[in-house]
Amino acid sequence: MEEFNDTIHLGDNVVKVLKSIYDPEIPVDIYELGLIYDVMINEDQDVKILMTLTSPNCPVAETLPKEVEEKIKSIDEVRSCEVEITFDPPWSKDLMSEEAKLELGML
């Protein structure tokens, strides 16, 4: 049970870090923007993040996934991190949180 709680705690820390990473063109963090599709953590503290970009031609396509990987790896408990980019389903404004929509004046 302790291992399960550690994974939950680590998951909370991963989300906290993700919420500190911002899309440089939109003043909203990538988590609230809906760019993070899944966060998977195994019992060995390996983290895999499935994410997307606002478009395949996104200007930060090269740098943003690397930034996510580096910042997640900086969490003490994380043994490794892999970031996978997908465009299925494609990102849309519907994936944004209510908080992000409010921040961008869309509500």
Side-chain angles (χ1 to χ4, degrees), residues 14-25:
V14 167
V15 169
K16 188 174 170 183
V17 169
L18 291 171
K19 286 184 170 196
S20 74
I21 303 170
Y22 284 76
D23 183 301
E25 297 181 325

Side-chain angles (χ1 to χ4, degrees), residues 39-107:
V39 175
M40 298 156 272
I41 303 170
N42 69 16
E43 61 278 351
D44 294 326
Q45 296 350 48
D46 298 311
V47 177
K48 181 173 181 180
I49 296 175
L50 182 63
M51 67 176 288
T52 194
L53 302 169
T54 52
S55 79
N57 300 325
C58 182
V60 293
E62 293 294 318
T63 58
L64 189 59
K66 288 178 185 165
E67 179 183 357
V68 169
E69 183 178 321
E70 289 171 9
K71 288 192 174 178
I72 297 303
K73 281 182 177 176
S74 74
I75 300 171
D76 288 339
E77 300 91 354
V78 171
R79 191 173 73 115
S80 70
C81 178
E82 176 188 349
V83 175
E84 181 181 336
I85 300 294
T86 185
F87 292 101
D88 184 27
W91 180 84
S92 74
K93 293 176 183 173
D94 295 336
L95 296 171
M96 293 169 52
S97 70
E98 296 292 315
E99 181 180 315
K101 289 177 183 174
L102 185 63
E103 180 74 27
L104 296 173
M106 300 172 80
L107 285 180

Side-chain angles (χ1 to χ4, degrees), residues 1-16 39 41-43 45:
M1 192 65 170
E2 184 177 317
E3 193 172 289
F4 181 70
N5 287 334
D6 288 347
T7 304
I8 290 174
H9 177 71
L10 180 55
D12 291 344
N13 285 342
V14 167
V15 169
K16 188 174 170 183
V39 175
I41 303 170
N42 69 16
E43 61 278 351
Q45 296 350 48

